[in-house]
């Protein structure tokens, strides 16, 4: 087993050797740009780590890891267009640096490139990876549509919200881990269990991202703090604030989320204050721990050593204590 940092290094070396910039440059330069903006490389690391966990050769999982990373970044390019987001990882988003049409087309190309990377595997493995990838990619699109729909609804429930983040974010973490298990020829029941571990960890990860979007440090978070508030996203923080609010607080919160503000900074500060005073900020921290513990409970039934279970727990705890 390697350290998380070593898996990251191995993946970045593989990424750097993957030929991206070619003609026409107007299509491929934005792809190279978004893939080289950095980021946590969480998903590819999970693919490599899981291959090792099940006694496979993590180097054989590098193509699948890159596929996951290319797909993830494709979804970010299109999400940023839909959200009109100015920043990604502290730098200009693709559509801001180039234009919307370039962002759409380069994103489309990335989706195709993600599929092509499975061609490096034998037919049986290719089929298993492609089947999982197709299911996951469609779920991510469904999750994004739920997210868009929720912006104009005032009756979003917490179960609906949790389903949305499961599809939009968590299933990709689950798939990243299951791909590593597939490449390592793990038992099918262990493939399913490691998927569940990754999915539950992914829900906790997205809840943490929601918290950081409101309360993170702009210097470390890498995205526009308060972006979800500006976009009127019905996050767990917002829904819990509505649930816990007094009648006057509820009226004010709904007003803030149904009007176009003159000053976004004022709106962000007012909403954050409500998240704190209602107890919503505390509630989301409890839910993050809840889903992290759900992920850890899955590990008990996995056919791996206790040392490897401890490694996965340490990784999960590190993820939940992040500031970026």
């Amino acid at each position: 087993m390697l350290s998380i940092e070593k898996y990251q290094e191995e993946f970045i070396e593989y990424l750097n050797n993957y030929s991206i910039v070619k003609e026409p440059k107007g299509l491929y330069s934005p792809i190279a740009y978004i893939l080289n903006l950095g980021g946590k490389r969480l998903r590819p690391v999970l693919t490599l780590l899981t291959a090792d966990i099940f006694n496979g050769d993590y180097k054989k999982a590098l193509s699948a890891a890159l596929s996951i990373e290319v797909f993830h970044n494709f979804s970010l390019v299109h999400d940023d267009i839909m959200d009109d987001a100015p920043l990604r990882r502290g730098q200009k988003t693709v559509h801001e640096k180039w234009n919307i049409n370039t962002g759409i087309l380069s994103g489309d190309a990335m989706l195709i490139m993600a599929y092509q990377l499975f061609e490096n595997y034998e037919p049986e493995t290719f089929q298993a990876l492609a089947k999982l990838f197709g299911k996951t990619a469609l779920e991510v699109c469904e999750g994004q549509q739920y997210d868009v729909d929720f912006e104009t609804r005032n009756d979003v429930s917490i179960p609906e919200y949790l389903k949305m983040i499961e599809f939009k974010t968590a299933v990709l973490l689950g798939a990243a881990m299951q791909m590593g298990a597939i490449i390592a020829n793990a038992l099918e029941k262990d493939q399913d269990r490691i998927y569940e571990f990754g999915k539950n960890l992914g829900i906790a990860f997205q809840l943490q991202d929601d918290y950081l979007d409101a309360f993170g440090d702009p210097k470390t978070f890498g995205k526009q703090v308060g972006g979800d508030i500006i976009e009127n996203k019905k996050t767990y923080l917002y829904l819990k604030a509505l649930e816990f609010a007094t009648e006057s607080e509820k009226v004010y919160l709904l007003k803030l989320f149904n009007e176009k503000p003159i000053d976004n900074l004022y709106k962000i500060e007012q909403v954050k204050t409500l998240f704190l005073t209602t107890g919503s900020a505390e509630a989301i921290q409890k839910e993050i721990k809840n889903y992290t513990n759900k992920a850890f409970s899955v590990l008990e039934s996995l056919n791996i050593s206790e040392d490897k279970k401890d490694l996965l727990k340490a990784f999960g705890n590190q993820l939940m204590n992040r500031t970026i």
Side-chain angles (χ1 to χ4, degrees):
M1 300 295 298
L2 305 179
S3 67
I4 298 302
E5 292 74 21
K6 184 61 177 174
Y7 287 123
Q8 288 172 328
E9 289 173 11
E10 291 276 334
F11 174 74
I12 290 168
E13 182 180 354
Y14 188 77
L15 171 62
N16 290 339
N17 290 329
Y18 180 67
S19 180
I20 297 170
V21 178
K22 46 191 175 182
E23 295 295 335
K25 286 188 171 58
L27 177 68
Y28 291 105
S29 292
I31 297 174
Y33 171 77
I34 187 69
L35 286 174
N36 287 291
L37 276 186
K40 295 172 282 293
R41 312 296 188 187
L42 168 64
R43 294 151 192 84
V45 164
L46 286 175
T47 303
L48 303 181
L49 173 66
T50 307
D52 247 353
I53 288 285
F54 289 109
N55 301 315
D57 181 356
Y58 77 88
K59 289 183 181 292
K60 291 181 179 179
L62 281 163
S63 289
L66 182 55
S67 174
I68 285 285
E69 184 71 354
V70 170
F71 175 78
H72 172 59
N73 280 274
F74 142 75
S75 72
L76 297 182
V77 170
H78 281 195
D79 284 2
D80 287 342
I81 292 170
M82 296 173 75
D83 292 342
D84 195 22
L87 295 177
R88 172 64 62 181
R89 297 166 186 155
Q91 301 295 323
K92 284 186 177 180
T93 48
V94 168
H95 71 277
E96 284 286 331
K97 187 173 175 63
W98 281 272
N99 54 63
I100 289 176
N101 287 346
T102 295
I104 293 170
L105 190 58
S106 293
D108 291 344
M110 291 173 77
L111 178 58
I112 297 164
M113 291 163 66
Y115 268 107
Q116 286 181 324
L117 282 156
F118 297 135
E119 295 171 8
N120 294 331
Y121 294 99
E122 294 299 317
E124 187 175 342
T125 304
F126 170 90
Q127 184 179 27
L129 292 172
K131 182 179 179 180
L132 174 61
F133 184 85
K135 169 182 172 291
T136 304
L138 193 57
E139 286 174 338
V140 171
C141 292
E142 290 170 1
Q144 175 66 6
Q145 185 61 53
Y146 284 131
D147 195 20
V148 171
D149 292 345
F150 291 174
E151 289 180 23
T152 55
R153 281 180 53 192
N154 285 324
D155 60 346
V156 179
S157 67
I158 286 177
E160 283 180 311
Y161 177 73
L162 291 172
K163 179 180 180 181
M164 183 273 287
I165 63 173
E166 175 185 336
F167 280 18
K168 185 177 176 181
T169 300
V171 294
L172 193 57
L173 268 73
M177 300 197 81
Q178 188 171 349
M179 283 185 184
I182 288 170
I183 291 162
N185 294 314
L187 295 173
E188 192 169 324
K189 62 181 181 180
D190 282 333
Q191 291 181 26
D192 292 339
R193 287 167 183 161
I194 202 67
Y195 175 88
E196 287 299 315
F197 171 81
K199 185 181 75 174
N200 282 308
L201 202 61
I203 294 172
F205 176 86
Q206 183 57 53
L207 289 170
Q208 176 77 341
D209 207 57
D210 290 353
Y211 178 83
L212 291 172
D213 187 273
F215 297 104
D217 184 344
K219 294 177 182 176
T220 58
F221 188 47
K223 293 187 285 184
Q224 181 181 24
V225 171
D228 287 348
I229 296 171
I230 294 170
E231 293 297 320
N232 298 325
K233 290 189 180 295
K234 309 305 191 295
T235 64
Y236 191 91
L237 277 167
Y238 169 84
L239 296 172
K240 275 295 179 183
L242 278 183
E243 180 183 332
F244 295 153
T246 64
E247 190 59 35
S248 61
E249 287 173 331
K250 183 175 180 179
V251 168
Y252 188 42
L253 184 57
L254 288 170
K255 180 176 182 290
L256 287 167
F257 268 66
N258 283 283
E259 290 184 354
K260 182 74 174 175
I262 297 172
D263 184 350
N264 278 330
L265 289 178
Y266 177 79
K267 175 180 178 178
I268 291 168
E269 289 307 313
Q270 292 298 299
V271 171
K272 284 170 63 175
T273 298
L274 287 168
F275 287 166
L276 289 168
T277 58
T278 60
S280 170
E282 183 181 353
I284 196 172
Q285 296 281 33
K286 290 180 180 177
E287 196 69 348
I288 290 166
K289 289 180 182 177
N290 175 42
Y291 274 96
T292 303
N293 289 334
K294 277 186 180 181
F296 291 168
S297 68
V298 174
L299 295 179
E300 302 309 314
S301 59
L302 269 180
N303 187 32
I304 58 175
S305 69
E306 290 302 317
D307 285 349
K308 289 178 178 178
K309 291 177 184 178
D310 289 342
L311 178 66
L312 288 170
K313 286 180 182 178
F315 181 77
N317 284 321
Q318 179 184 344
L319 203 60
M320 292 310 111
N321 291 317
R322 66 195 170 93
T323 58
I324 58 174

